[in-house]
Amino acid sequence: MGSRRKEKVENDNNKKRKAISPIKSIKKNKQKNNKSNEIEKISPTSASASEQLDFFVEQFQSANALHLSSLELESLKDTCVLELPQDSHLDVNALGKDIKPAFGASWKEVLCEGKLVQGEIDAGSPAVLVISSSALRSIELLRGFRSFTKECHAVKLFSKHMKVEEQVSLLKNRVNIASGTPSRIKKLIDIEALSLSRLKVLVLDMQPDVKGYSLLTLPQVRDEFWDLFKNYFYPPMIQGDLRICLYGPYQLAVRLKGKKGYADKE
Protein backbone atom coordinates (compact mmCIF):
# COMPACT_ATOMS: atom_id res chain seq x y z
CA MET A 1 0.00 0.00 0.00
CA GLY A 2 2.84 2.42 0.92
CA SER A 3 4.69 1.70 -2.33
CA ARG A 4 1.57 2.57 -4.38
CA ARG A 5 1.26 5.94 -2.62
CA LYS A 6 4.94 6.64 -3.29
CA GLU A 7 4.49 5.88 -7.01
CA LYS A 8 1.43 8.16 -7.17
CA VAL A 9 3.36 11.09 -5.59
CA GLU A 10 6.23 10.61 -8.07
CA ASN A 11 3.78 10.57 -11.01
CA ASP A 12 2.12 13.78 -9.78
CA ASN A 13 5.52 15.48 -9.50
CA ASN A 14 6.46 14.41 -13.03
CA LYS A 15 3.21 15.92 -14.37
CA LYS A 16 4.00 19.21 -12.60
CA ARG A 17 7.48 19.27 -14.12
CA LYS A 18 6.04 18.70 -17.60
CA ALA A 19 3.52 21.53 -17.09
CA ILE A 20 6.26 23.97 -16.09
CA SER A 21 8.71 23.24 -18.92
CA PRO A 22 6.78 25.07 -21.74
CA ILE A 23 6.77 28.27 -19.65
CA LYS A 24 10.52 28.02 -19.23
CA SER A 25 10.98 27.59 -22.98
CA ILE A 26 8.85 30.70 -23.65
CA LYS A 27 11.02 32.71 -21.26
CA LYS A 28 14.15 31.46 -23.03
CA ASN A 29 12.71 32.44 -26.42
CA LYS A 30 11.89 35.92 -25.11
CA GLN A 31 15.46 36.29 -23.88
CA LYS A 32 16.77 35.25 -27.30
CA ASN A 33 14.47 37.75 -29.04
CA ASN A 34 15.61 40.53 -26.72
CA LYS A 35 19.22 39.74 -27.55
CA SER A 36 18.52 39.82 -31.30
CA ASN A 37 16.81 43.21 -30.92
CA GLU A 38 19.83 44.53 -29.02
CA ILE A 39 22.10 43.39 -31.84
CA GLU A 40 19.85 45.14 -34.35
CA LYS A 41 20.16 48.39 -32.39
CA ILE A 42 23.94 48.12 -32.07
CA SER A 43 24.80 47.68 -35.75
CA PRO A 44 22.00 49.18 -37.87
CA THR A 45 24.10 50.83 -40.56
CA SER A 46 26.09 47.77 -41.60
CA ALA A 47 23.92 47.28 -44.72
CA SER A 48 25.38 48.07 -48.12
CA ALA A 49 24.09 50.81 -50.41
CA SER A 50 22.29 48.16 -52.46
CA GLU A 51 20.52 46.75 -49.40
CA GLN A 52 19.54 50.24 -48.21
CA LEU A 53 18.17 51.09 -51.66
CA ASP A 54 16.14 47.86 -51.78
CA PHE A 55 14.73 48.64 -48.35
CA PHE A 56 13.77 52.20 -49.31
CA VAL A 57 12.21 51.21 -52.64
CA GLU A 58 10.18 48.52 -50.88
CA GLN A 59 8.90 51.08 -48.35
CA PHE A 60 8.13 53.55 -51.15
CA GLN A 61 6.09 51.04 -53.13
CA SER A 62 4.28 49.71 -50.07
CA ALA A 63 3.35 53.13 -48.68
CA ASN A 64 2.06 54.38 -52.02
CA ALA A 65 0.42 51.12 -53.17
CA LEU A 66 2.34 51.12 -56.43
CA HIS A 67 4.79 48.99 -58.39
CA LEU A 68 7.69 50.68 -60.12
CA SER A 69 8.27 49.72 -63.72
CA SER A 70 11.38 47.78 -64.72
CA LEU A 71 12.67 50.94 -66.42
CA GLU A 72 12.30 52.93 -63.19
CA LEU A 73 13.96 50.20 -61.12
CA GLU A 74 16.89 50.09 -63.54
CA SER A 75 17.31 53.86 -63.13
CA LEU A 76 17.61 53.51 -59.35
CA LYS A 77 21.26 52.57 -58.94
CA ASP A 78 23.26 52.00 -55.77
CA THR A 79 24.82 55.43 -56.26
CA CYS A 80 21.43 56.93 -55.36
CA VAL A 81 22.28 56.09 -51.75
CA LEU A 82 24.97 57.91 -49.80
CA GLU A 83 26.60 55.39 -47.46
CA LEU A 84 27.75 56.59 -44.06
CA PRO A 85 30.36 54.99 -41.79
CA GLN A 86 29.03 52.15 -39.64
CA ASP A 87 27.31 53.39 -36.45
CA SER A 88 27.71 57.03 -37.56
CA HIS A 89 24.28 57.74 -36.06
CA LEU A 90 25.75 57.28 -32.58
CA ASP A 91 27.46 60.67 -32.87
CA VAL A 92 25.20 63.42 -34.24
CA ASN A 93 28.06 65.90 -34.11
CA ALA A 94 29.88 63.97 -36.85
CA LEU A 95 27.01 64.08 -39.36
CA GLY A 96 28.43 66.97 -41.38
CA LYS A 97 31.88 65.40 -41.51
CA ASP A 98 30.38 62.12 -42.75
CA ILE A 99 28.38 63.83 -45.52
CA LYS A 100 31.18 66.15 -46.66
CA PRO A 101 32.85 63.56 -48.97
CA ALA A 102 29.71 63.52 -51.16
CA PHE A 103 30.74 66.97 -52.46
CA GLY A 104 34.34 66.10 -53.27
CA ALA A 105 36.98 68.80 -53.42
CA SER A 106 34.38 71.58 -53.71
CA TRP A 107 32.73 70.80 -50.34
CA LYS A 108 33.88 74.07 -48.76
CA GLU A 109 32.47 76.21 -51.57
CA VAL A 110 29.15 74.33 -51.56
CA LEU A 111 28.59 73.91 -47.82
CA CYS A 112 30.36 76.83 -46.15
CA GLU A 113 30.41 79.97 -48.28
CA GLY A 114 27.68 82.53 -47.65
CA LYS A 115 27.49 84.72 -50.76
CA LEU A 116 24.91 84.38 -53.51
CA VAL A 117 26.32 83.90 -57.00
CA GLN A 118 24.03 85.29 -59.69
CA GLY A 119 23.15 82.70 -62.29
CA GLU A 120 24.78 79.89 -60.29
CA ILE A 121 23.41 79.84 -56.75
CA ASP A 122 19.77 80.71 -56.19
CA ALA A 123 18.49 82.10 -52.90
CA GLY A 124 16.88 79.54 -50.62
CA SER A 125 18.38 76.55 -52.40
CA PRO A 126 20.15 74.19 -49.96
CA ALA A 127 22.69 71.60 -51.06
CA VAL A 128 21.78 69.40 -48.08
CA LEU A 129 18.26 68.97 -46.75
CA VAL A 130 17.53 66.99 -43.58
CA ILE A 131 14.01 65.65 -42.99
CA SER A 132 12.90 64.51 -39.53
CA SER A 133 9.64 63.60 -37.84
CA SER A 134 9.80 66.44 -35.29
CA ALA A 135 11.10 69.96 -34.74
CA LEU A 136 13.30 68.90 -31.81
CA ARG A 137 14.97 66.20 -33.83
CA SER A 138 15.51 68.63 -36.72
CA ILE A 139 17.37 70.98 -34.39
CA GLU A 140 19.38 68.13 -32.90
CA LEU A 141 20.65 66.98 -36.30
CA LEU A 142 21.75 70.50 -37.23
CA ARG A 143 24.35 70.22 -34.47
CA GLY A 144 26.32 68.01 -36.82
CA PHE A 145 26.74 70.90 -39.27
CA ARG A 146 27.85 73.66 -36.89
CA SER A 147 31.37 73.86 -38.28
CA PHE A 148 29.91 74.48 -41.77
CA THR A 149 27.45 77.24 -40.87
CA LYS A 150 29.63 80.08 -39.56
CA GLU A 151 29.26 82.19 -42.72
CA CYS A 152 25.98 80.76 -43.96
CA HIS A 153 23.48 79.86 -41.26
CA ALA A 154 21.39 76.71 -41.53
CA VAL A 155 17.64 77.26 -41.86
CA LYS A 156 15.02 75.52 -39.71
CA LEU A 157 11.98 74.43 -41.67
CA PHE A 158 9.30 73.33 -39.22
CA SER A 159 6.12 74.89 -37.86
CA LYS A 160 6.80 74.79 -34.10
CA HIS A 161 7.38 78.39 -32.88
CA MET A 162 8.19 79.49 -36.45
CA LYS A 163 5.95 81.36 -38.87
CA VAL A 164 5.98 80.77 -42.60
CA GLU A 165 6.69 84.47 -43.20
CA GLU A 166 9.81 84.30 -41.05
CA GLN A 167 11.10 81.30 -42.99
CA VAL A 168 10.30 82.91 -46.35
CA SER A 169 12.44 85.87 -45.27
CA LEU A 170 15.36 83.62 -44.31
CA LEU A 171 15.12 81.77 -47.61
CA LYS A 172 15.73 84.98 -49.54
CA ASN A 173 19.39 84.57 -48.64
CA ARG A 174 21.89 81.90 -49.54
CA VAL A 175 21.15 78.59 -47.82
CA ASN A 176 23.52 75.64 -47.90
CA ILE A 177 21.98 73.44 -45.23
CA ALA A 178 18.37 73.17 -44.04
CA SER A 179 16.51 70.88 -41.69
CA GLY A 180 12.80 70.42 -41.05
CA THR A 181 9.62 68.37 -41.12
CA PRO A 182 7.72 67.13 -44.22
CA SER A 183 4.63 69.34 -43.92
CA ARG A 184 6.44 72.68 -43.63
CA ILE A 185 9.06 71.76 -46.22
CA LYS A 186 6.33 70.95 -48.76
CA LYS A 187 4.50 74.17 -48.00
CA LEU A 188 7.62 76.26 -48.60
CA ILE A 189 8.31 74.44 -51.87
CA ASP A 190 4.71 74.93 -52.99
CA ILE A 191 4.88 78.70 -52.45
CA GLU A 192 8.27 78.75 -54.24
CA ALA A 193 10.17 80.02 -51.20
CA LEU A 194 12.32 76.88 -50.95
CA SER A 195 14.22 75.98 -54.11
CA LEU A 196 15.60 72.53 -54.94
CA SER A 197 17.92 73.67 -57.73
CA ARG A 198 21.12 72.89 -55.75
CA LEU A 199 19.90 69.94 -53.71
CA LYS A 200 22.34 67.02 -53.89
CA VAL A 201 21.88 65.14 -50.61
CA LEU A 202 18.59 64.35 -48.86
CA VAL A 203 19.17 63.12 -45.30
CA LEU A 204 16.26 61.07 -43.96
CA ASP A 205 16.25 60.68 -40.20
CA MET A 206 15.36 57.06 -39.37
CA GLN A 207 15.82 57.34 -35.61
CA PRO A 208 12.68 56.10 -33.75
CA ASP A 209 11.29 58.33 -31.00
CA VAL A 210 10.61 57.21 -27.42
CA LYS A 211 7.40 55.50 -28.55
CA GLY A 212 9.10 53.65 -31.38
CA TYR A 213 7.75 55.79 -34.21
CA SER A 214 9.96 57.12 -37.00
CA LEU A 215 9.68 59.25 -40.12
CA LEU A 216 8.37 56.19 -41.98
CA THR A 217 5.88 54.98 -39.36
CA LEU A 218 4.53 58.00 -37.44
CA PRO A 219 0.90 58.47 -38.62
CA GLN A 220 0.28 61.62 -40.67
CA VAL A 221 3.99 62.51 -40.76
CA ARG A 222 4.62 59.31 -42.74
CA ASP A 223 1.92 60.22 -45.26
CA GLU A 224 3.19 63.80 -45.53
CA PHE A 225 6.72 62.54 -46.13
CA TRP A 226 5.78 60.15 -48.93
CA ASP A 227 3.62 62.82 -50.59
CA LEU A 228 6.59 65.19 -50.46
CA PHE A 229 9.06 62.60 -51.68
CA LYS A 230 6.89 61.36 -54.55
CA ASN A 231 6.25 64.86 -55.91
CA TYR A 232 9.59 66.58 -55.39
CA PHE A 233 12.43 64.16 -54.63
CA TYR A 234 11.67 60.99 -56.57
CA PRO A 235 12.09 62.60 -60.04
CA PRO A 236 15.62 63.99 -59.42
CA MET A 237 16.60 60.79 -57.61
CA ILE A 238 15.62 58.58 -60.54
CA GLN A 239 17.52 60.95 -62.86
CA GLY A 240 20.66 60.53 -60.76
CA ASP A 241 20.73 64.15 -59.58
CA LEU A 242 19.85 63.45 -55.94
CA ARG A 243 21.22 61.01 -53.37
CA ILE A 244 19.37 59.91 -50.25
CA CYS A 245 21.07 59.19 -46.95
CA LEU A 246 19.30 56.95 -44.42
CA TYR A 247 20.56 58.27 -41.11
CA GLY A 248 20.06 55.97 -38.14
CA PRO A 249 18.74 52.46 -37.47
CA TYR A 250 16.44 52.19 -40.44
CA GLN A 251 15.67 48.47 -39.91
CA LEU A 252 14.45 49.28 -36.39
CA ALA A 253 12.49 52.25 -37.75
CA VAL A 254 9.97 49.93 -39.43
CA ARG A 255 10.37 46.77 -37.34
CA LEU A 256 7.23 47.50 -35.34
CA LYS A 257 5.21 48.87 -38.25
CA GLY A 258 1.61 47.75 -38.13
CA LYS A 259 1.67 46.44 -34.56
CA LYS A 260 -1.48 47.97 -33.11
CA GLY A 261 -1.23 49.43 -29.63
CA TYR A 262 2.56 49.63 -29.62
CA ALA A 263 2.60 53.29 -28.65
CA ASP A 264 0.28 52.63 -25.71
CA LYS A 265 2.50 49.83 -24.44
CA GLU A 266 5.53 52.05 -24.46
Side-chain angles (χ1 to χ4, degrees), residues 11-261:
N11 289 334
D12 289 340
N13 288 336
N14 288 334
K15 287 179 181 179
K16 287 179 181 178
R17 289 192 192 102
K18 289 179 181 179
I20 291 170
S21 58
I23 297 174
K24 287 184 178 179
S25 65
I26 290 172
K27 287 182 178 179
K28 287 181 180 178
N29 288 335
K30 283 185 177 180
Q31 289 174 352
K32 288 180 181 179
N33 289 336
N34 287 338
K35 286 181 180 179
S36 66
N37 288 342
E38 287 173 4
I39 293 170
E40 188 177 34
K41 291 178 183 178
I42 291 170
S43 56
T45 54
S46 57
S48 66
S50 177
E51 290 170 325
Q52 292 184 52
L53 181 61
D54 288 344
F55 161 83
F56 188 76
V57 170
E58 181 185 347
Q59 294 301 313
F60 177 49
Q61 293 184 115
S62 175
N64 293 280
L66 54 80
H67 292 283
L68 299 181
S69 67
S70 56
L71 186 62
E72 288 176 300
L73 290 172
E74 287 175 9
S75 299
L76 292 169
K77 303 183 184 302
D78 295 353
T79 50
C80 291
V81 174
L82 174 61
E83 285 189 87
L84 297 181
Q86 186 171 339
D87 294 334
S88 61
H89 69 286
L90 298 177
D91 184 9
V92 171
N93 295 317
L95 180 56
K97 182 185 72 174
D98 292 336
I99 286 177
K100 182 176 73 173
F103 296 91
S106 61
W107 69 268
K108 196 168 185 179
E109 297 171 20
V110 177
L111 300 176
C112 301
E113 293 190 4
K115 293 182 180 179
L116 288 169
V117 180
Q118 190 172 6
E120 293 182 25
I121 299 176
D122 297 328
S125 57
V128 176
L129 179 60
V130 182
I131 303 182
S132 304
S133 61
S134 71
L136 287 175
R137 183 63 178 167
S138 297
I139 294 171
E140 184 180 359
L141 292 180
L142 282 179
R143 292 209 318 262
F145 295 95
R146 279 179 181 170
S147 61
F148 300 93
T149 56
K150 293 177 181 178
E151 292 184 29
C152 184
H153 296 300
V155 177
K156 302 166 187 174
L157 307 176
F158 45 77
S159 58
K160 193 170 185 177
H161 305 309
M162 297 197 74
K163 295 180 179 180
V164 171
E165 293 77 16
E166 180 183 355
Q167 290 164 333
V168 169
S169 179
L170 292 171
L171 290 169
K172 289 180 179 179
N173 302 305
R174 173 164 173 165
V175 177
N176 297 328
I177 299 162
S179 179
T181 53
S183 179
R184 181 53 60 91
I185 289 173
K186 185 175 185 300
K187 185 175 183 65
L188 291 165
I189 296 174
D190 288 342
I191 63 174
E192 299 183 351
L194 176 63
S195 169
L196 304 178
S197 62
R198 293 177 63 223
L199 188 62
K200 294 299 179 185
V201 176
L202 182 68
V203 181
L204 305 178
D205 179 32
M206 298 288 101
Q207 183 68 41
D209 60 20
V210 293
K211 291 185 177 180
Y213 287 107
S214 72
L215 181 66
L216 300 186
T217 59
L218 184 63
Q220 187 175 342
V221 171
R222 170 195 59 206
D223 297 337
E224 290 168 350
F225 166 71
W226 286 120
D227 182 44
L228 172 66
F229 178 82
K230 184 169 60 176
N231 287 290
Y232 292 109
F233 301 129
Y234 178 62
M237 180 179 170
I238 207 169
Q239 290 167 10
D241 297 327
L242 177 66
R243 302 173 76 184
I244 63 168
C245 172
L246 304 183
Y247 183 72
Y250 70 88
Q251 301 102 321
L252 184 65
V254 296
R255 183 170 59 84
L256 296 166
K257 182 180 178 182
K259 289 195 175 182
K260 191 175 180 181

